[in-house]
Amino acid sequence: MRFIVYGAGAVGGVLGAYLHLSGQQVVLIARGAHLAAIRDHGLTLEDATGSRTMAVPAVAGPGEIEWQDGDVVLLGVKGQDTEAALRELAACAPAATPVVCLQNGVDNERQALRAFEHVYGVCVMSPTTHLTPGVVRADCHPVPGLLDIGRFPSGADSAAEAIAAAFRKAGYESVPRPDIMRWKYGKLLRNVGNAVDAVCGRAAGVREIVGRIRAEAAAVLDAAGIAYTPEDEDDARRADILKAAVADSRGGGSSWQSLARGTGHIEADFLSGEIVLLARLHKLAAPYNENARRWANHFAREGRAPASLTPVDWLATLFE
């Protein structure tokens, strides 16, 4: 197999680095200053063992790749970039190419299935950081993450087994799961708090807001009849496997990092926004998730610094 990592940021960049270090073929698709840094100096991986810079092939888009049998796409872009990425892939990658969604949210796999026959979801539990062009960091050691995989919408086939084996060879924990979307909806319940983490940081009162956002999201999933892994099952999977290399090594999660890098966009529409969509489809209200979505998008559009809104101000706009 050769892995085409479309989106070599935090999760994709770290995974691409470990796959490369384990002797597996990797091509990174990156953009802007990050791509330029990788091409000029190599991809730098930081983890608990130190810093390593490696020469990994990197391109600006899938049209620069000579596609071959055995290629597997690891889709690592944020949810708001999935449509454009799939459009580029569909223009040049064979339709039989497996597409593996390494993303938060639950809509990416559905989009991919329109263009590609073999689509796989991955429940990603891998704390990583990407704030500097050309540099990514694994925040857990010795296991950098959990990457359980399954075919979308359900099932586990030989390709899922082979990809899971490749992930394990790279140092990750990975098992095929026929009910992978149940795990991804469970992960979504954790991720709906990302938007508040991004705009309010870890100020007093944030934990209570996040708890209400998650409870509201769970109620919406229950009303919609959507199965998800409960928190205790999710915690049991993580168990003692994910160990922080440095306490509080990240300033924040993936949404916080988007604001810190000033990307101008954020994936809130595909996290809390997914709950809002489901709520509207089932004639329910989801004010906490809607407020989270709106504030995150406002911060991204305005280029506001992460963690600069107080929880009091966040709550003041709850029912506007």
Side-chain angles (χ1 to χ4, degrees), residues 44-78:
T44 298
L45 171 68
E46 298 178 349
D47 61 17
T49 67
S51 177
R52 286 161 286 184
T53 300
M54 60 205 78
V56 185
V59 299
E64 297 181 28
I65 296 171
E66 292 187 11
W67 293 85
Q68 59 192 40
D69 290 343
D71 284 344
V72 175
V73 173
L74 302 180
L75 196 57
V77 300
K78 297 291 178 64

Side-chain angles (χ1 to χ4, degrees), residues 8-10 13 28 30-39 42-43 130 132-136:
L28 306 176
R31 58 191 175 191
H34 190 45
L35 173 61
I38 295 171
R39 281 176 162 171
L43 176 66
H130 167 51
T132 305
V135 182
V136 293

Side-chain angles (χ1 to χ4, degrees), residues 79 81-84 86 106-116 119 152 270:
D81 298 319
T82 294
E83 182 180 358
L86 289 169
V106 294
D107 192 54
N108 304 290
E109 290 82 1
R110 185 171 178 269
Q111 293 185 58
L113 199 60
R114 286 194 177 101
F116 292 92
V119 175
F152 178 79
F270 296 91

Side-chain angles (χ1 to χ4, degrees), residues 61 88 115 122 133 148 160 191 194 211 244 262 270 277 282 286 301 318:
E88 286 191 347
V122 175
D148 292 348
N191 290 146
N194 288 9
F270 296 91
L277 172 61
H282 291 83
R301 284 193 303 268
L318 186 57

Side-chain angles (χ1 to χ4, degrees), residues 199-200 203-204 206 209 295 299 304 307-316:
V199 303
C200 296
V206 168
I209 292 173
W295 268 116
F299 264 57
R304 293 180 59 172
S308 58
L309 182 73
T310 70
V312 171
D313 287 340
W314 192 98
L315 287 167

Side-chain angles (χ1 to χ4, degrees), residues 74-309:
L74 302 180
L75 196 57
V77 300
K78 297 291 178 64
Q80 67 272 14
D81 298 319
T82 294
E83 182 180 358
L86 289 169
R87 191 182 306 116
E88 286 191 347
L89 284 166
C92 54
T97 303
V99 174
V100 180
C101 297
L102 289 170
Q103 303 147 290
N104 289 331
V106 294
D107 192 54
N108 304 290
E109 290 82 1
R110 185 171 178 269
Q111 293 185 58
L113 199 60
R114 286 194 177 101
F116 292 92
E117 180 181 358
H118 306 290
V119 175
Y120 299 83
V122 175
C123 184
V124 177
M125 305 178 192
S126 183
T128 51
T129 301
H130 167 51
L131 294 176
T132 305
V135 182
V136 293
R137 189 177 75 216
D139 292 318
C140 284
H141 185 80
V143 177
L146 306 177
L147 300 176
D148 292 348
I149 183 173
R151 191 177 179 102
F152 178 79
S154 63
D157 57 14
S158 59
E161 295 274 1
I163 296 166
F167 291 162
R168 291 193 297 270
K169 183 179 178 182
Y172 289 78
E173 287 281 340
S174 181
V175 298
R177 293 190 181 277
D179 61 342
I180 193 61
M181 294 312 293
R182 185 175 75 94
W183 286 85
K184 293 204 73 167
Y185 273 103
K187 179 78 185 313
L188 177 64
L189 290 182
R190 288 182 179 263
N191 290 146
V192 291
N194 288 9
V196 177
D197 169 74
V199 303
C200 296
R202 298 169 182 172
V206 168
R207 187 183 295 256
E208 181 180 355
I209 292 173
V210 170
R212 293 180 184 180
I213 290 172
R214 288 176 175 170
E216 180 182 86
V220 169
L221 292 183
D222 289 340
I226 295 174
Y228 56 87
T229 50
E231 191 170 345
D232 58 349
E233 187 174 0
D234 200 50
D235 288 341
R237 177 64 181 115
R238 297 167 187 251
D240 294 327
I241 297 173
L242 293 184
K243 299 178 181 179
V246 180
D248 294 323
S249 60
R250 297 189 297 168
S254 59
S255 295
W256 181 95
Q257 292 178 49
S258 292
L259 294 182
R261 294 200 310 275
T263 62
H265 50 77
I266 198 165
E267 62 182 337
D269 285 343
F270 296 91
L271 301 179
S272 282
E274 181 71 27
I275 299 301
V276 172
L277 172 61
L278 284 169
R280 289 171 177 166
L281 288 171
H282 291 83
K283 298 185 172 152
L284 302 169
Y288 279 90
N289 281 274
E290 171 61 4
N291 207 40
R293 186 194 68 81
R294 280 189 284 129
W295 268 116
N297 284 323
H298 176 69
F299 264 57
R301 284 193 303 268
E302 299 295 324
R304 293 180 59 172
S308 58
L309 182 73

